[in-house]
Amino acid sequence: MIYKQTKPFPADFLWGASTSAYQVEGAWDQEGKGPSVIDMATFPDNISDFKVTSDHYHHFKTDVALFKELGLKTYRFSISWSRLFPAGDGEINPQGVAFYNQLIDEICNAGIEPLVTLYHFDLPYALQQQGGWSNRQTIDAFERYARTTFELYGDRVKYWLTINEQNMMILKGDVIGTLDPNTENPQKALYQQNHHMMLAQAKAMILCHTLLPQAKIGPAPNISCIYAASSKPEDNIAAQNYSSIRNWLYLDLACHGRYNALVWRFLEEKSLLPEILSGDMEVLRQGKPDFIAFNYYASTTVAADAPNTHAGEKKDPRAVEDQQLAGVYKNVYLGVDNPHLEHNEFGWYIDPVGFRVTCREIYERYAMPLIITENGLGAFDKLTADKKVYDDNRINYLRIHIEQLKLAISDGVELFGYCPWSAIDLVSTHQGISKRYGFIYVNRDEHDLKDMARYRKKSFFWYQRVIASNGEDLNGHIEY
């Protein structure tokens, strides 16, 4: 639809930016913090681990001052579960409590709305040793952890996110570290974990509404529109299959308290059904979100499975590697290339129109307010001799995506915030510190910490202008 005039962003729109605890804080074993699954993981020699990252733990006052200068209306960050509860449960760490009190106070005093994620990939390692999300006791541990954060910080935090990208943890559990590599039936185990996480999420939402009636809480999956490779009917069936498996399973459970019917049949057909105990579905029905947060980076294109994609046979020439996880699943879907889209330097599609499509699809299905909690461009940013970073590619990426958000609002989508990834450079889950996303450059390399100084990139001043104009001035020209 083409409009004569697009609608503006709402006057109280929450322009923000995002980080996560394990990717930005550092201080992985300091002041009482216990290890997480991320801390205990091993990484290739050529990329950084997560022990220091951007050292936000020791620089948070400087960083928040920069966020204020940037003009952020909200800052999305996560609390490290194992910083509050070193063993995931049991004794609380008072130094961890104090750190987040100081951080939240600093954010509020800067006039920024804190947007807090309870769990962003970093499951306490002690819980993982006891079975992690395969163990139903982890649900109880998460509920106690959520209750504690609500009681400690709920007087200042009005917006909460439950679990970041739960669908990625299920579709890629081996990468995040929440799946025992010795698991006999990994897929079945992951869908059981998913059921447990959904129960934990529902219980956290019920608690939030009970303890903090003025607060709002929602899930934060990674959602992506799925294109059929052609107008062939079988390709459209494949696209529906993948949409349900990748997206709607998680949001149907979060918003409606029921399993997506198509995914249920998929799990049944593949002998992957989770064990559901008496009372589980009632808990899921009671745990209602107030909004939906979602992360968007790229779209996915799929086709119907082809005869020559069976194990040991020649790979279908259309099949591509992980573009938002599609891959190959015999007789269900086949991830394929989309010739109409460009790629960034890491091979990810750049699809701003897909951003608009995704907003429309989510809103039409669930009719709930939306906030984007991740969207951004990873790049090999270079600091010049005069301490500048000319990241025009990032400015252009964000500009064309924000333009599509404005069109989504004109389409009738109720959108109340946008938090690009990331506020400041941090360690990427797969590519270390070299793959940078931030508006603020952190002066370190993969293994050389240098001075950890902060420098404003060109995109910092561009986004500052975008926020000041409430999204009206997206001109990429910046004097820098």
Side-chain angles (χ1 to χ4, degrees):
M1 189 178 301
I2 299 175
Y3 299 101
K4 294 178 181 178
Q5 184 172 354
T6 55
K7 290 187 176 182
F9 287 93
D12 57 353
F13 192 76
L14 292 176
W15 294 98
S18 298
T19 64
S20 80
Y22 81 90
Q23 293 174 276
V24 77
E25 282 181 6
W28 76 283
D29 63 348
Q30 295 182 23
E31 298 189 338
K33 182 184 178 296
S36 73
V37 293
I38 305 291
D39 297 321
M40 302 305 290
T42 56
F43 303 94
D45 292 339
N46 63 325
I47 69 168
S48 171
D49 58 24
F50 294 88
K51 290 179 168 56
V52 178
T53 63
S54 306
D55 200 27
H56 180 65
Y57 191 82
H58 297 109
H59 292 79
F60 73 90
K61 290 188 177 181
T62 298
D63 293 342
V64 173
L66 285 166
F67 300 162
K68 180 180 180 180
E69 180 186 343
L70 181 56
L72 296 187
K73 306 297 183 184
T74 189
Y75 170 47
R76 182 245 177 156
F77 63 100
S78 72
I79 290 175
S80 168
W81 186 346
S82 61
R83 197 178 292 284
L84 286 192
F85 290 95
D89 204 356
E91 294 295 318
I92 196 168
N93 174 24
Q95 291 171 295
V97 171
F99 169 71
Y100 290 112
N101 266 320
Q102 293 173 56
L103 175 61
I104 292 169
D105 282 346
E106 198 74 18
I107 293 166
C108 292
N109 290 338
I112 300 171
E113 190 78 55
L115 172 59
V116 175
T117 310
L118 291 173
Y119 171 45
H120 194 128
F121 295 166
D122 51 351
L123 183 72
Y125 187 66
L127 293 181
Q128 181 63 21
Q129 289 180 301
Q130 299 166 33
W133 285 111
S134 293
N135 185 345
R136 283 185 71 101
Q137 291 182 351
T138 301
I139 302 171
D140 299 328
F142 184 80
E143 186 177 15
R144 284 190 284 274
Y145 161 62
R147 177 185 290 274
T148 301
T149 59
F150 296 151
E151 291 175 344
L152 287 171
Y153 311 120
D155 58 325
R156 286 153 289 167
V157 179
K158 299 175 185 176
Y159 293 97
W160 298 86
L161 306 176
T162 52
I163 299 176
N164 178 76
E165 293 192 349
Q166 180 172 330
N167 52 339
M168 299 298 102
M169 285 190 276
I170 302 309
L171 295 166
K172 281 288 184 182
D174 56 329
V175 175
I176 303 301
T178 51
L179 179 69
D180 186 333
N182 299 314
T183 302
E184 188 173 325
N185 188 339
Q187 277 201 305
K188 186 174 177 63
L190 284 166
Y191 280 108
Q192 187 65 57
Q193 289 188 4
N194 178 66
H195 184 71
H196 293 165
M197 275 192 264
M198 281 295 173
L199 287 168
Q201 172 173 264
K203 289 189 173 189
M205 292 193 291
I206 293 167
L207 262 180
C208 183
H209 292 142
T210 301
L211 299 176
L212 306 173
Q214 302 305 314
K216 297 183 185 299
I217 189 167
N222 179 309
I223 303 297
S224 168
C225 66
I226 314 299
Y227 302 131
S230 75
S231 56
K232 181 181 176 182
E234 289 81 1
D235 286 350
N236 280 268
I237 289 291
Q240 285 188 336
N241 291 344
Y242 190 55
S243 293
S244 292
I245 292 168
R246 188 198 187 285
N247 298 326
W248 312 137
L249 164 64
Y250 306 91
L251 286 178
D252 282 2
L253 278 165
C255 298
H256 299 317
R258 57 171 167 76
Y259 272 83
N260 178 278
L262 181 58
V263 179
W264 186 261
R265 284 294 295 124
F266 164 77
L267 297 176
E268 194 171 42
E269 180 72 15
K270 303 297 181 183
S271 300
L272 301 174
L273 284 176
E275 179 187 32
I276 299 176
L277 301 188
S278 175
D280 283 0
M281 298 311 296
E282 180 57 31
V283 171
L284 291 172
R285 283 190 290 270
Q286 290 177 11
K288 298 290 186 182
D290 301 294
F291 61 87
I292 295 170
F294 74 98
N295 303 342
Y296 174 90
Y297 289 96
S299 58
T300 306
T301 303
V302 301
D305 196 13
N308 58 351
T309 58
H310 297 244
E313 296 182 6
K314 184 179 178 182
K315 186 176 180 181
D316 189 297
R318 298 174 301 165
V320 295
E321 296 304 319
D322 180 6
Q323 276 288 356
Q324 292 295 295
L325 308 180
V328 177
Y329 207 117
K330 180 183 171 184
N331 299 325
V332 183
Y333 55 78
L334 167 70
V336 299
D337 187 37
N338 189 329
H340 304 288
L341 298 176
E342 296 181 0
H343 299 80
N344 67 19
E345 57 188 316
F346 292 94
W348 290 26
Y349 291 126
I350 298 176
D351 185 9
V353 176
F355 198 14
R356 178 186 181 186
V357 173
T358 303
C359 289
R360 288 164 61 148
E361 286 188 336
I362 298 172
Y363 192 68
E364 286 183 3
R365 284 184 68 95
Y366 303 103
M368 284 187 165
L370 306 182
I371 181 170
I372 288 85
T373 41
E374 289 184 31
N375 171 240
L377 180 71
F380 293 117
D381 296 341
K382 300 298 181 185
L383 187 68
T384 64
D386 56 351
K387 310 302 183 186
K388 293 185 176 183
V389 177
Y390 292 88
D391 57 341
D392 294 88
N393 53 347
R394 179 169 296 108
I395 290 172
N396 184 60
Y397 177 95
L398 293 172
R399 178 183 59 78
I400 58 180
H401 282 75
I402 293 172
E403 287 173 346
Q404 292 298 319
L405 279 189
K406 194 171 184 181
L407 288 169
I409 289 173
S410 299
D411 292 331
V413 174
E414 185 180 354
L415 188 69
F416 70 95
Y418 174 65
C419 300
W421 189 263
S422 56
I424 187 170
D425 282 347
L426 37 70
V427 176
S428 171
T429 303
H430 308 296
Q431 285 98 2
I433 190 70
S434 297
K435 185 181 184 182
R436 297 175 182 267
Y437 282 90
F439 294 110
I440 299 161
Y441 186 92
V442 177
N443 191 35
R444 61 156 293 185
D445 290 336
E446 294 297 346
H447 299 294
D448 183 356
L449 297 180
K450 299 185 178 180
D451 59 4
M452 304 292 285
R454 274 61 168 151
Y455 297 105
R456 302 162 186 81
K457 300 180 187 179
K458 186 176 181 180
S459 62
F460 179 100
F461 297 100
W462 174 82
Y463 193 49
Q464 183 184 62
R465 190 176 66 189
V466 170
I467 296 172
S469 67
N470 196 31
E472 291 301 313
D473 188 353
L474 299 177
N475 184 353
H477 179 71
I478 287 287
E479 295 293 336
Y480 181 54

